[in-house]
Amino acid sequence: MLECLLTPPSKAPLVIIKGIAGTAKTLFALAAGLDQYASSQKGNTYNKILICRPSVTMDEEIGFLPGNENEKIAPYMRAIKDNVFTIFNMNNKNLSNPSEYKRAENEVEQVFEDDYIKTEALAYQRGRSLNNYYFILDEMQNSTIRQAKACVTRVGRGTKVILLGDPDQIDSPYLDSQTNGLTYASEKMKDSPLCWQVTMKPEECERSPLAEEAAKRM
């Protein structure tokens, strides 16, 4: 997985990573992107880290969300901020202190406010041409075939696009494990020299023993 994520877009412009919940797909994709974005010695030059997720909830509808685009998609991006928080604080032993925890949260918020990591709605990507982006498409098992195709075909020069998801964990009532955008892209791009694919095994779950057991049984 790391080899796929760290290989320059000139060799691996499209990466597809599938696996059960808890196999650190999103965390590794974010960590690799942040590392390359921050380092000028890697040979990769990304102007922006862009993250999109389908606006799909787990069964329960939350209704119309007021506000501008960022405010509307903010609830769907909480998992992204959780992962950035984990990356930034892996060695922080002071998080039990409320003031230190708040400082760590503010550091994460600042990264998004300064647009080091930009989050956008999946629905607004059509018609764009993205050059020199590190482009993460998360939870793509909840995307349609048309959405997946539209997003992958936005990729311009110097852009690397990463599709992440678990085909067996679908929240949209209109999709299944075979008709979602992630599975479609994986099948259609199989054997393409421009697409590198990895499937994580259930025993590679890093979240917790319970998460691994539940993913297998439920």
Side-chain angles (χ1 to χ4, degrees), residues 153-168:
T153 54
R154 297 310 94 209
V155 174
R157 301 286 182 180
T159 287
K160 187 180 188 75
V161 59
I162 301 103
L163 272 63
L164 308 172
D166 177 3
D168 295 317

Side-chain angles (χ1 to χ4, degrees), residues 21 39 43 54 59 62 69 72 78 102 106 122 131-132 138 146 150 180 191 200:
S39 176
D59 296 332
I62 58 177
E69 180 187 343
K72 288 178 187 292
R78 287 171 184 160
K102 183 63 177 176
N106 289 339
L122 193 68
N131 296 308
N132 300 110
D138 197 25
R146 288 194 299 176
N180 66 85
D191 299 325
M200 307 302 292

Side-chain angles (χ1 to χ4, degrees), residues 171-203:
D171 301 309
S172 171
Y174 308 108
L175 301 172
D176 60 34
S177 61
Q178 299 302 312
T179 62
N180 66 85
L182 179 69
T183 299
Y184 175 81
S186 177
E187 288 299 316
K188 291 297 183 181
M189 296 303 293
K190 193 177 291 183
D191 299 325
S192 168
L194 302 178
C195 177
W196 294 23
Q197 300 199 41
V198 173
T199 300
M200 307 302 292
K201 299 177 181 178
E203 58 267 27

Side-chain angles (χ1 to χ4, degrees), residues 29-217:
L30 277 166
L34 286 165
D35 178 68
Q36 293 171 92
Y37 181 71
S39 176
S40 59
Q41 282 78 46
K42 297 291 181 181
N44 298 326
T45 303
Y46 298 116
N47 294 331
K48 191 80 68 178
I49 298 174
L50 174 62
I51 302 173
C52 295
R53 302 178 99 202
S55 300
V56 178
T57 57
M58 288 196 303
D59 296 332
E60 186 177 3
E61 292 297 328
I62 58 177
F64 174 77
L65 295 175
N68 59 32
E69 180 187 343
N70 287 334
E71 291 168 335
K72 288 178 187 292
I73 67 172
Y76 302 104
M77 297 298 172
R78 287 171 184 160
I80 302 300
K81 291 186 177 181
D82 289 344
N83 277 287
V84 175
F85 185 94
T86 299
I87 293 167
F88 283 9
N89 294 281
M90 283 182 174
N91 299 314
N92 191 341
K93 296 180 171 50
N94 301 315
L95 290 180
S96 58
N97 183 314
S99 61
E100 175 62 16
Y101 193 92
K102 183 63 177 176
R103 185 207 62 77
E105 281 189 323
N106 289 339
E107 183 182 20
V108 171
E109 289 295 334
Q110 195 63 49
V111 167
F112 287 86
E113 289 177 14
D114 292 342
D115 268 356
Y116 290 118
I117 300 176
K118 189 169 182 61
T119 57
E120 293 183 359
L122 193 68
Y124 299 151
Q125 298 310 306
R126 184 174 294 283
R128 302 187 67 190
S129 182
L130 302 175
N131 296 308
N132 300 110
Y133 273 71
Y134 188 87
F135 187 18
I136 298 175
L137 293 160
D138 197 25
E139 301 290 347
M140 284 299 283
Q141 76 276 4
N142 285 319
S143 72
T144 65
I145 289 172
R146 288 194 299 176
Q147 286 175 323
K149 180 178 179 180
C151 288
V152 174
T153 54
R154 297 310 94 209
V155 174
R157 301 286 182 180
T159 287
K160 187 180 188 75
V161 59
I162 301 103
L163 272 63
L164 308 172
D166 177 3
D168 295 317
Q169 194 176 56
I170 292 174
D171 301 309
S172 171
Y174 308 108
L175 301 172
D176 60 34
S177 61
Q178 299 302 312
T179 62
N180 66 85
L182 179 69
T183 299
Y184 175 81
S186 177
E187 288 299 316
K188 291 297 183 181
M189 296 303 293
K190 193 177 291 183
D191 299 325
S192 168
L194 302 178
C195 177
W196 294 23
Q197 300 199 41
V198 173
T199 300
M200 307 302 292
K201 299 177 181 178
E203 58 267 27
E204 293 175 303
C205 180
E206 297 287 342
R207 186 166 292 154
S208 69
L210 175 59
E212 179 183 350
E213 187 77 355
K216 290 177 180 177
R217 291 175 176 267

